Amino acid sequence: MASGDSFVSRDSRRTELREFLRSRRARVSPADVGMPAGGRRRTPGLRREEVAVLAGVGVSWYTWLEQGRDIKVSEEVLDAIARALLLGAAERAHLYRLAGLNAPERSARPSVAPSPEVQRLLDSWSPRPGYVRDRHWNFTAVNDAARVVFGYGENDHNCLVSFFTNVRYRVLHCHWAEAAPDVAAAFRADAARYPDDGEFERIAGDLAAVSPEFAELWERHDAAEHTNAVKAVDHPEAGTLVFDATLLPLPEHPGHHLILHNPRPGTDTQQRVEALMRQPSLVVPHPGQADTAHDADAPAESLP
């Protein structure tokens, strides 16, 4: 049954590939790609041989591809066809999938502001904490609840740096020491996604110069990936708050993530954080005013 299902799936994909290429070819005129019209045409768009010339492949090979035959394709050839057909990023990824290849990752932009839709989601998420960070872990948006609950201040610009240098943040968090190795490992794993981006090494180097704890962890060369975590906070005004933290990628801004914190079921965190955020004047306390973090029965954090 499994082999039959695989055959049906492969056959369906070839059919979809054939229809997709034909439809994309029909919407591109010779003038769109700088080619002469070449007389009267029976159908709109480019001819197969014209696509083949533009992509630098044989006419027969392209015809077989468009017919959905079982032929080998490479990323380079698919990219050439995508350029010839003026495909957008989403269409190019779709072409890859239909051809049986992994879609290429979109290039991540260093830092952009969140879209209005994401900003509205972040604002409406309050009184629950949330923030957006870019590929370098710089904050691009932080809601009020995250500032009050986690102790972020005006000088907090980078999630990793704040984790290791913000004293208030460190005092508030119940499992800081247990989470620190995973946080450093997650940043190294993200840095490996962009081997030509020296900003990761600069951030790590600057942080290692002021944080011996980070320097020691960074030298371990551990790497880890986390999309979910449990974050426990001992807040001087609200008491113990425990959140499930979820990291969500933002496809419209590759490399950026939305991190949302939801009160953990079975705790009274929801009521406590709501009461905290209803206070008319929210003053982030001095680190010395916070109680010493106690051992809460919650897993260590892995997302800062």
Side-chain angles (χ1 to χ4, degrees), residues 48-258:
R48 286 175 177 169
E49 55 267 28
E50 291 170 333
V51 176
V53 169
L54 290 169
V57 299
V59 176
S60 296
W61 186 92
Y62 177 77
T63 300
W64 293 338
L65 177 67
E66 193 172 290
Q67 290 175 344
R69 296 194 188 186
D70 188 11
I71 59 176
K72 292 184 178 180
V73 295
S74 67
E75 296 178 358
E76 292 76 13
V77 170
L78 286 183
D79 283 343
I81 292 173
R83 288 192 296 271
L85 295 175
L86 306 180
L87 300 186
E91 292 174 320
R92 175 170 168 258
H94 186 59
L95 174 63
Y96 264 72
R97 297 186 186 100
L98 293 180
L101 298 180
N102 291 326
E105 291 188 5
R106 295 174 59 188
S107 299
R109 300 176 62 182
S111 187
V112 294
S115 66
E117 293 79 12
V118 171
Q119 186 63 59
R120 285 196 295 271
L121 171 60
L122 191 61
D123 293 339
S124 66
W125 191 252
S126 190
R128 294 162 293 180
Y131 52 84
V132 179
R133 74 184 192 200
D134 66 15
R135 76 183 190 190
H136 300 128
W137 291 27
N138 295 314
F139 292 116
T140 64
V142 181
N143 71 4
D144 290 338
R147 297 186 186 279
V148 172
V149 171
F150 300 136
Y152 291 132
E154 294 182 357
N155 295 325
D156 291 294
H157 305 294
N158 182 279
C159 195
L160 177 74
V161 174
S162 292
F163 183 88
F164 283 94
T165 64
N166 183 326
V167 178
R168 185 189 310 121
Y169 181 102
R170 181 167 176 165
V171 169
L172 289 174
H173 284 65
C174 299
H175 301 286
W176 188 95
E178 293 90 337
D182 282 341
V183 171
F187 188 75
R188 184 174 286 282
D190 276 1
R193 298 176 185 273
Y194 312 100
D196 298 326
D197 188 345
E199 181 67 6
F200 287 95
E201 196 62 34
R202 185 199 67 76
I203 293 172
D206 289 351
L207 180 56
V210 298
S211 172
E213 290 154 314
F214 175 77
E216 188 276 326
L217 293 171
W218 192 246
E219 285 302 313
R220 295 183 187 179
H221 289 267
D222 293 339
E225 295 186 4
H226 303 282
T227 57
N228 297 280
V230 175
K231 189 174 293 186
V233 175
D234 253 342
H235 198 280
E237 297 177 34
T240 302
L241 306 173
V242 186
F243 298 92
D244 290 318
T246 302
L247 184 146
L248 303 169
L250 298 176
E252 71 273 25
H253 297 320
H256 291 58
H257 290 84
L258 172 67

Side-chain angles (χ1 to χ4, degrees), residues 23 54 87 108-109 159 223 272 286 292 299 301:
S23 66
L54 290 169
L87 300 186
R109 300 176 62 182
C159 195
R272 288 175 178 267
H286 186 275
T292 302
E301 307 167 36

